[in-house]
Amino acid sequence: VLKSIEKKFNDFLYLNESSGPPGLGAVLESVMRHMESLRPRTITEKRTVSMVLHELKQARLESRRMNERLKTLEEQIKVLEEGK
């Protein structure tokens, strides 16, 4: 019961905090929350969920790296444009 209340509260905050479409990080976080809420019944399902969670964490890390690289490149472009 507590998890469902927490999820509804987080969803409420998520919907009200941004006016644009959700970013990749937010989407991956949402998928991770859904995966973590699953209750696998077999060992195979447990392994599958575990692997998916690991892959999602890796995707979030890569997404963060890409965003940092994008910001760096945008700053470089801005500096180059100012130099003209």
Side-chain angles (χ1 to χ4, degrees):
V1 175
L2 187 59
K3 274 198 169 239
S4 66
I5 293 171
E6 181 182 4
K7 183 186 178 320
K8 287 179 184 178
F9 180 72
N10 287 336
D11 289 344
F12 173 77
L13 289 177
Y14 172 72
L15 289 174
N16 290 329
E17 101 184 355
S18 68
S19 60
L24 181 58
V27 171
L28 292 172
E29 180 68 31
S30 176
V31 173
M32 282 184 71
R33 265 193 274 141
H34 290 295
M35 289 300 297
E36 289 170 347
S37 71
L38 294 177
R39 298 293 170 233
R41 294 188 174 117
T42 65
I43 292 174
T44 304
E45 289 176 350
K46 287 179 185 178
R47 288 180 186 155
T48 301
V49 169
S50 176
M51 287 176 56
V52 169
L53 286 171
H54 175 74
E55 290 170 359
L56 284 169
K57 287 178 186 175
Q58 295 302 316
R60 283 182 61 209
L61 287 173
E62 187 61 29
S63 170
R64 234 179 263 141
R65 286 185 197 119
M66 288 173 45
N67 281 337
E68 290 173 7
R69 180 71 175 141
L70 178 63
K71 287 179 185 176
T72 302
L73 291 172
E74 287 173 341
E75 289 172 4
Q76 289 175 353
I77 289 172
K78 190 174 184 179
V79 168
L80 289 172
E81 287 176 345
E82 290 173 355
K84 287 184 179 180

